[in-house]
Amino acid sequence: MSLEEIISEAVKTAMRAKDKTALDALRAVKAQILLLKTEARGAEVSPEQEIAILQRMIKQRKDSSEQFSAQGRNDLAEVEDAQVKVIEKFLPQQLTDEELEAEMKTIIDETGAQSMKDLGKVMGIASKNLAGKSDGKSISAMAKKLLS
């Protein structure tokens, strides 16, 4: 079952439960998937593209939440945080810090990276291999920690 079908079922469930926050988040995800399909002119959307959409939407909502909190608009920040939790349910299981560190050490060993000069090489492979399992900020922080 594709992500689009799973989201459609979740929209129906949220409608029955009258869960406005989940419904808003799920409709936004569905709209982004439909937009991607339209841009691809009917081509099938890959699972990697679906994960990228989810990650981008989560990042946008987290950024919005931070800005709302900084401006003292906690009511709006709470809505954004609630939508993040709904969208995160559709991502693959996220790596813990220990698992991420182990994966990054493996990638660093495979690439032969020795210092911060090799950060770009490590990040390119790590971003591809860990897509959907961890966010870019965590991957970058771990790479910098291990290479310094």
Side-chain angles (χ1 to χ4, degrees):
M1 189 182 289
S2 73
L3 179 64
E4 184 178 10
E5 294 166 342
I6 293 170
I7 295 292
S8 293
E9 290 301 315
V11 166
K12 292 175 190 174
T13 304
M15 288 172 91
R16 287 185 200 114
K18 296 183 183 354
D19 186 350
K20 183 179 176 355
T21 303
L23 193 57
D24 290 344
L26 295 169
R27 283 182 173 160
V29 171
K30 190 171 182 180
Q32 288 297 314
I33 292 171
L34 290 174
L35 182 64
L36 184 63
K37 286 176 86 172
T38 303
E39 290 172 355
R41 302 192 192 281
E44 196 63 32
V45 177
S46 72
E48 292 81 20
Q49 291 173 310
E50 293 172 340
I51 289 171
I53 288 171
L54 295 175
Q55 288 178 319
R56 184 173 57 242
M57 293 182 77
I58 288 171
K59 184 178 184 310
Q60 289 170 343
R61 278 156 180 74
K62 284 183 178 179
D63 290 345
S64 295
S65 175
E66 288 174 15
Q67 288 183 0
F68 288 140
S69 294
Q71 296 172 358
R73 295 296 311 265
N74 293 330
D75 55 328
L76 296 175
E78 289 171 7
V79 171
E80 296 293 327
D81 291 337
Q83 287 188 6
V84 165
K85 290 178 183 169
V86 170
I87 296 170
E88 283 178 336
K89 293 177 185 175
F90 298 96
L91 280 176
Q93 182 65 36
Q94 300 292 295
L95 295 174
T96 64
D97 287 339
E98 294 80 25
E99 293 170 331
L100 178 60
E101 185 172 358
E103 291 282 336
M104 290 301 294
K105 284 181 180 177
T106 304
I107 291 169
I108 289 171
D109 290 342
E110 288 173 0
T111 59
Q114 299 293 320
S115 66
M116 289 296 286
K117 292 180 184 177
D118 302 317
L119 181 64
K121 188 180 354 175
V122 171
M123 284 301 297
I125 295 171
S127 296
K128 198 176 292 181
N129 292 352
L130 302 176
K133 297 178 185 175
S134 186
D135 65 342
K137 195 181 282 187
S138 300
I139 292 171
S140 176
M142 186 61 69
K144 288 176 184 174
K145 175 184 163 192
L146 294 174
L147 288 174
S148 24

